[in-house]
Amino acid sequence: MPEVAPVPLSQLTTLRTGGTPARMIEALTTDELVAALREVWAEGGPWFVLGGGSNLFVGDESFEGTVVCVRTTGIDELPGSRDDTARLRVQAGHDWDALVAESVERGLAGIEAMSGIPGTVGAAPVQNVGAYGQEIVQTLVEVELIDEATGEVSTVPASELGLGFRTSVLKHHYGSVPDRPAVILSVTLELERVGDDERPITGEQLRGALGLERGQAVSLRWIRDHVLATRARKGMVLDAEDPDTWSAGSFFQNAIVSAGFARTLPDECPRWPLAPVFDPVTVIPLAAFDGVLPPPPVERSEVKVSAAWLIEHAGLSRGFRLPRSRAGLSTKHTLALTNRGEATAAEIAQLARFVQQRVQAEFGLLLQPEPVLVDVEL
Ligand SMILES: Cc1cc2nc3c(=O)[nH]c(=O)nc-3n(C[C@H](O)[C@H](O)[C@H](O)COP(=O)(O)OP(=O)(O)OC[C@H]3O[C@@H](n4cnc5c(N)ncnc54)[C@H](O)[C@@H]3O)c2cc1C
């Protein structure tokens, strides 16, 4: 196994917390990664894989197990399913933003609005990364992964990954285990060949964020540049000099609540109705069929509500800090909990709990963390 001297996870995570793990492995090739995982799983101790460490919140104690760092890189271009598309198969450890830059360079559209998201390509499907109305689910064809249960490598279509709002069957949500413990080895995306041409943007969210009129045409490169500038203003592009970016991005997810509960929140709270889930099959007994098809029954009707608005209106503004704490809300973006320098995981967890309690007391709902927590309790 390509074992390396373990370094503190505070050096490898963007929230800058975490002690030194018992063992660390660095896999530079897929063969190394597969062999290392099989060996670690055969031994049976605790483990997790680390990409860019930008969606992890790690506790202060040493992790008593193996951290497998995924450092595989490479992009292969394959034919698309149509003449005007191309597929990119990308190794799991490849830097996500480098992939976006490369796809823009090659004139391939579909991920440009996700410019500037930190981390690796292999972690992107884990929480179905997204920004400004684009999500990886829209372009993801399949992943190659290795299952912990069998140690087998297989190619799994995107439709089997349970990709939803910042979730998938692979994600380790707080308080639960993933439905399918597995490690992604490569990711295949299908992107549209558009070259350098200027095109109108169809996505309303992206248009709004970039201040574009309906029908206004721009190039992929223009979108990338402007998304990066917009994100940087919010502290959402990593910057070693700017403590507002020493975070795990949005610490809390926008809350998904029932339509009934959403009606109890103040009208000003931004909300986005989710598409209702319909039962696709309704059996009507022939004897009861009167020639008129009934409307399909709605199984559930949910609404996504803005966690940032809830936090701000629970009285916590940008830059908020608890007395004597080195953790604080970003001065640019309420949803980002940041390490203002040498903060421990305990200090960040204390701030996270305080935010949860304030929002719960004010609005009656418990915000859920978006990053994966390792050896930390909220
Ligand atoms: C400043 C900032 C801005 C951000 N903005 C956004 C945003 O706009 N949208 C968004 O969706 N996210 C955003 N994030 C969160 C984060 O960048 C993404 O979730 C990213 O995909 C995490 O990649 P990573 O390689 O850093 O994952 P890590 O933090 O290393 O790992 C995250 C989880 O995925 C698992 N994992 C890692 N690699 C693999 C693999 N190959 N196979 C299986 N599991 C794996 C890890 O074990 C862990 O459970 C932001 C974070 C920061 C710090």
Side-chain angles (χ1 to χ4, degrees):
M1 264 194 294
E3 213 165 313
V4 292
V7 295
L9 289 168
S10 56
Q11 292 176 15
L12 300 178
T13 55
T14 55
L15 205 41
R16 302 178 176 217
T17 64
T20 307
R23 183 166 60 165
M24 193 170 263
I25 287 164
E26 211 171 60
L28 300 177
T29 65
T30 302
D31 285 349
E32 279 180 3
L33 181 57
V34 167
L37 288 167
R38 285 185 178 147
E39 222 172 306
V40 169
W41 293 339
E43 289 167 6
W47 65 279
F48 71 88
V49 283
L50 178 78
S54 64
N55 208 31
L56 274 166
F57 177 24
V58 187
D60 296 313
E61 301 299 317
S62 292
F63 177 70
E64 290 304 324
T66 307
V67 175
V68 180
C69 303
V70 183
R71 302 284 181 250
T72 54
T73 57
I75 303 177
D76 292 314
E77 187 164 334
L78 311 168
S81 62
R82 303 193 315 258
D83 286 350
D84 61 349
T85 62
R87 289 188 175 188
L88 297 183
R89 181 176 300 148
V90 192
Q91 297 308 307
H94 205 96
D95 180 74
W96 171 263
D97 191 52
L99 167 65
V100 180
E102 183 63 33
S103 67
V104 167
E105 196 60 36
R106 295 186 193 192
L108 298 173
I111 54 175
E112 61 285 351
M114 292 187 275
S115 292
I117 299 180
T120 55
V121 170
V126 173
Q127 73 151 3
N128 182 24
V129 290
Y132 304 119
Q134 261 180 9
E135 286 186 319
I136 195 173
V137 65
Q138 296 159 358
T139 44
L140 185 66
V141 178
E142 62 194 21
V143 299
E144 193 188 10
L145 55 69
I146 176 165
D147 280 289
E148 185 182 12
T150 59
E152 293 299 320
V153 174
S154 60
T155 300
V156 179
S159 58
E160 288 178 20
L161 293 175
L163 296 160
F165 176 61
R166 301 298 164 268
T167 188
S168 76
V169 293
L170 307 172
K171 187 165 176 185
H172 203 128
H173 286 281
Y174 182 54
S176 67
V177 290
D179 289 342
R180 184 169 184 176
V183 174
I184 292 180
L185 306 173
S186 73
V187 164
T188 303
L189 303 173
E190 176 137 340
L191 303 172
E192 208 186 329
R193 291 185 188 283
V194 301
D196 286 336
D197 293 355
E198 295 191 337
R199 307 179 307 151
I201 296 180
T202 47
E204 207 169 308
Q205 218 177 323
L206 183 59
R207 258 201 326 264
L210 302 185
L212 291 167
E213 300 294 330
R214 193 178 285 272
Q216 197 176 335
V218 289
S219 68
L220 289 182
R221 212 174 293 271
W222 189 96
I223 296 174
R224 174 166 168 78
D225 291 346
H226 285 76
V227 164
L228 285 174
T230 306
R231 291 181 65 98
R233 281 195 294 276
K234 296 181 180 171
M236 282 291 152
V237 178
L238 291 181
D239 177 350
E241 304 303 318
D242 181 0
D244 276 332
T245 73
W246 304 350
S247 73
S250 299
F251 192 89
F252 293 108
Q253 294 188 355
N254 284 331
I256 310 261
V257 298
S258 69
F261 184 87
R263 280 193 289 277
T264 68
L265 296 171
D267 288 346
E268 311 78 59
C269 176
R271 63 197 71 199
W272 305 273
L274 297 180
V277 176
F278 294 107
D279 183 352
V281 181
T282 305
V283 178
I284 307 168
L286 200 53
F289 183 56
D290 59 5
V292 181
L293 282 178
V298 176
E299 269 197 351
R300 62 186 167 92
S301 170
E302 291 179 326
V303 179
K304 189 164 73 174
V305 295
S306 164
W309 189 95
L310 295 171
I311 295 170
E312 278 162 27
H313 290 80
L316 305 174
S317 43
R318 293 174 193 177
F320 172 83
R321 284 202 213 186
L322 290 165
R324 290 180 299 284
S325 174
R326 291 167 294 181
L329 299 186
S330 157
T331 67
K332 303 185 180 83
H333 184 13
T334 335
L335 262 190
L337 268 59
T338 58
N339 189 332
R340 311 307 297 183
E342 309 293 317
T344 59
E347 283 168 271
I348 290 169
Q350 185 192 28
L351 175 64
R353 281 193 292 270
F354 187 81
V355 172
Q356 282 179 316
Q357 284 159 8
R358 284 295 314 128
V359 169
Q360 190 162 32
E362 206 63 40
F363 300 109
L365 63 86
L366 185 67
L367 292 178
Q368 295 300 322
E370 183 175 303
V372 173
L373 274 63
V374 176
D375 291 346
V376 198
E377 300 246 329
L378 289 187

